[in-house]
């Protein structure tokens, strides 16, 4: 089973690390691919993809089951999830279980994505619910079959949808960039990421 956790990671923060560790525990035996976007379709990244990849690799280093997958950085143009799933399906074969993990923000705008109706044919969907949060599933995802058991994902290659309760770590990359712009000394990121940001003078001009 291949579990996919993508994002801009601009920059990676403590919440991302906790989420990746939670996915590894929820899917024992699976490989959790943490996938940075090259060019997010709906926003402009603050720093280069190379810097974001370096920070992400440092943050995830040594965590069992987790691999940083740069598949989207090798493609030109916007990073469309359907293209990434298609490439991974080709890499791992038609029978491999692929699980796309999405948080509330992503699920609520999935109908605005590129070819969202194709997702069900390429992989499963795991909706990440933070504490006391319930995400309404958009109609574009109606083709998925609901299941309450994550282990069901291992029995099929695609087409199932489940919810996963995840820790609530109240931090965002937007917040981190704002703290850096204000020259706040304490950042909610791993210490080695804070050192990297300082050393390379990243996000200094963030408003």
């Amino acid at each position: 089973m291949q579990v996919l956790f993508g994002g801009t990671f601009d920059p990676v923060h403590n919440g991302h690390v906790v989420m990746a560790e939670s996915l590894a525990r929820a899917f024992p035996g699976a490989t959790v691919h943490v996938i940075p976007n090259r060019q997010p379709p709906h926003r402009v990244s603050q720093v280069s993809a190379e810097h974001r990849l370096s920070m992400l690799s440092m943050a995830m280093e040594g965590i069992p089951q987790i691999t940083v997958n740069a598949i989207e950085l090798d493609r030109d143009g916007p990073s469309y999830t359907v293209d990434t799933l298609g490439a991974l399906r080709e890499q791992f074969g038609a029978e491999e279980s692929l699980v796309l993990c999405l948080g509330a923000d992503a699920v609520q705008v999935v109908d605005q994505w590129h070819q969202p109706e194709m997702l069900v044919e390429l992989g499963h969907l795991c909706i990440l619910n933070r504490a006391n949060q319930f995400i309404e599933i958009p109609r574009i995802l109606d083709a998925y079959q609901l299941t309450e058991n994550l282990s069901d994902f291992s029995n099929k290659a695609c087409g199932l949808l489940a919810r996963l309760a995840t820790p609530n770590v109240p931090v965002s990359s937007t917040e981190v960039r704002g703290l850096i712009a204000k020259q706040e000394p304490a950042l909610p990121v791993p210490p080695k990421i804070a050192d990297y940001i300082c050393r390379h003078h990243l996000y200094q001009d963030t408003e």
Side-chain angles (χ1 to χ4, degrees), residues 50-67:
E50 290 75 18
H51 276 312
R52 289 186 289 113
L53 177 62
S54 294
M55 288 187 285
L56 190 59
S57 298
M58 292 169 60
M60 300 295 165
E61 185 178 18
I63 304 177
Q65 295 178 238
I66 293 177
T67 182

Side-chain angles (χ1 to χ4, degrees), residues 14-88:
N14 292 338
H16 292 136
V17 176
V18 169
M19 185 64 70
E21 292 173 333
S22 297
L23 291 174
R25 289 192 296 271
F27 296 97
T31 298
V32 178
H33 299 258
V34 183
I35 305 174
N37 302 139
R38 176 184 179 274
Q39 179 183 332
H42 303 296
R43 61 179 295 273
V44 177
S45 177
Q46 294 290 321
V47 304
S48 71
E50 290 75 18
H51 276 312
R52 289 186 289 113
L53 177 62
S54 294
M55 288 187 285
L56 190 59
S57 298
M58 292 169 60
M60 300 295 165
E61 185 178 18
I63 304 177
Q65 295 178 238
I66 293 177
T67 182
V68 175
N69 190 326
I71 185 172
E72 294 192 350
L73 304 188
D74 297 329
R75 272 201 321 265
D76 293 332
S79 299
Y80 293 125
T81 299
V82 67
D83 294 338
T84 300
L85 275 174
L88 291 171

Side-chain angles (χ1 to χ4, degrees), residues 1-6 9 19-36 64-69 71 84-85 88-89 92 96-102 122-128 150-151 153-154 157 164 166:
M1 183 185 298
Q2 311 298 321
V3 177
L4 318 175
F5 175 45
F9 304 108
M19 185 64 70
E21 292 173 333
S22 297
L23 291 174
R25 289 192 296 271
F27 296 97
T31 298
V32 178
H33 299 258
V34 183
I35 305 174
Q65 295 178 238
I66 293 177
T67 182
V68 175
N69 190 326
I71 185 172
T84 300
L85 275 174
L88 291 171
R89 174 60 65 202
F92 289 105
E96 182 74 0
S97 175
L98 301 182
V99 182
L100 175 64
C101 298
L102 296 180
L122 294 169
H124 303 300
L125 183 59
C126 181
I127 296 179
L128 307 176
L150 295 179
S151 64
F153 285 157
S154 62
L164 174 64
T166 59

